């Protein structure tokens, strides 16, 4: 009777999720434990067994150890969200909390500084020690500081400024692109300069001041 109850609770949790949400056994165990008024550690083993059974039945798909996604039944068969997209989401958010941001060439491409579409998507994340599943075109970097909702946009822009000289920037006016992005994200100039001073090298700090205060960066770069 207990196993049926566990399964019912797990299915209740899974069906409440959006199709493109990642599912971790830790979150499922926490949900089940709260409903049964038990400690999460006590129910985790049984939850793992049930998750493995649901995977065998084809209701969920394993992305990597302890991480799954739903297989959604449609009129045309089962729909499974893209594995890499789901894995990236896990690196970027933990429930409603932001824990990472896109950086490197893939971020420069999205911002409009680089036209080249990189093979790998680069993520700076608090989960920088996480193992990337084999075959996924994802690169994980350690952020300068712990990422949160209040700083991730600042870090993303400062990473871009730091990489301007090293990346194959091919837009006509990179400084204008950086400034437009700063304006789009409604970032504060003084905060960008402060963070550059605290968490980045001297070169990045000077470039940041130069770009934001309309200095002679383009002349210096040439």
């Amino acid at each position: 009777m207990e196993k049926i109850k566990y399964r019912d609770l797990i299915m209740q949790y899974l069906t409440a999720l959006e199709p493109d949400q990642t599912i971790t056994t830790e979150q499922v165990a926490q949900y089940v434990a709260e409903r049964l008024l038990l400690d999460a550690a006590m129910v985790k083993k049984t939850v793992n067994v049930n998750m493995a059974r649901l995977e065998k039945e084809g209701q969920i798909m394993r992305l990597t150890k302890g991480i799954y996604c739903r297989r959604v039944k449609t009129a045309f068969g089962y729909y499974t969200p893209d594995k890499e997209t789901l894995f990236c989401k896990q690196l970027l958010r933990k429930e409603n909390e932001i824990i990472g941001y896109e950086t490197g060439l893939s971020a420069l491409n999205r911002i409009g500084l680089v036209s080249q579409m990189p093979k790998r998507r680069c993520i700076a994340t608090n989960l920088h020690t996480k193992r990337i599943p084999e075959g996924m075109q994802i690169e994980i970097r350690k952020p300068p500081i712990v990422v949160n909702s209040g700083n991730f946009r600042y870090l993303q822009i400062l990473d871009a400024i730091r990489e301007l000289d090293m990346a194959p920037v091919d837009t006509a006016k990179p400084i204008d692109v950086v400034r437009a992005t700063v304006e789009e994200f409604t970032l504060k100039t003084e905060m960008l300069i402060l963070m550059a001073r605290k968490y980045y090298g001297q070169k990045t700090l000077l470039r940041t001041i130069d770009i934001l205060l309309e200095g002679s960066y383009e002349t210096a770069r040439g």
Side-chain angles (χ1 to χ4, degrees), residues 20-88:
D20 60 351
Q21 279 187 259
T22 51
I23 305 157
T24 68
T25 50
E26 285 185 9
Q27 291 169 336
V28 176
Q30 186 64 42
Y31 178 84
V32 172
E34 287 173 1
R35 296 303 178 278
L36 297 178
L37 303 178
L38 296 171
D39 186 76
M42 293 177 62
V43 306
K44 193 170 182 181
K45 186 176 180 180
T46 309
V47 165
N48 283 335
V49 170
N50 278 273
M51 294 292 281
R53 287 176 182 164
L54 290 170
E55 183 191 11
K56 283 185 178 180
E57 293 170 14
Q59 300 213 41
I60 57 176
M61 182 175 71
R62 184 176 182 269
L63 298 177
T64 186
K65 185 178 179 181
I67 304 172
Y68 297 84
C69 69
R70 284 176 58 197
R71 295 185 73 230
V72 183
K73 193 170 184 179
T74 70
F76 305 99
Y78 278 95
Y79 159 73
T80 304
D82 179 70
K83 284 186 179 183
E84 285 197 15
T85 301
L86 286 170
F87 190 77
C88 282

Side-chain angles (χ1 to χ4, degrees), residues 116-145:
Q116 174 188 334
M117 180 65 76
K119 289 183 180 179
R120 288 177 175 269
R121 188 176 178 187
C122 187
I123 306 290
T125 175
N126 298 341
L127 302 177
H128 53 86
T129 59
K130 200 163 191 66
R131 179 180 166 273
I132 302 171
E134 189 177 345
M136 288 194 180
Q137 296 296 309
I138 299 169
E139 178 187 343
I140 295 178
R141 292 185 186 178
K142 183 179 180 181
I145 53 172

Side-chain angles (χ1 to χ4, degrees), residues 181-199:
T181 307
V182 168
E183 188 175 339
E184 180 188 346
F185 292 160
T186 61
L187 303 181
K188 296 178 180 178
T189 298
E190 61 271 23
M191 182 59 71
L192 276 165
I193 293 172
L194 176 63
M195 290 183 70
R197 180 178 286 118
K198 289 182 71 174
Y199 307 117

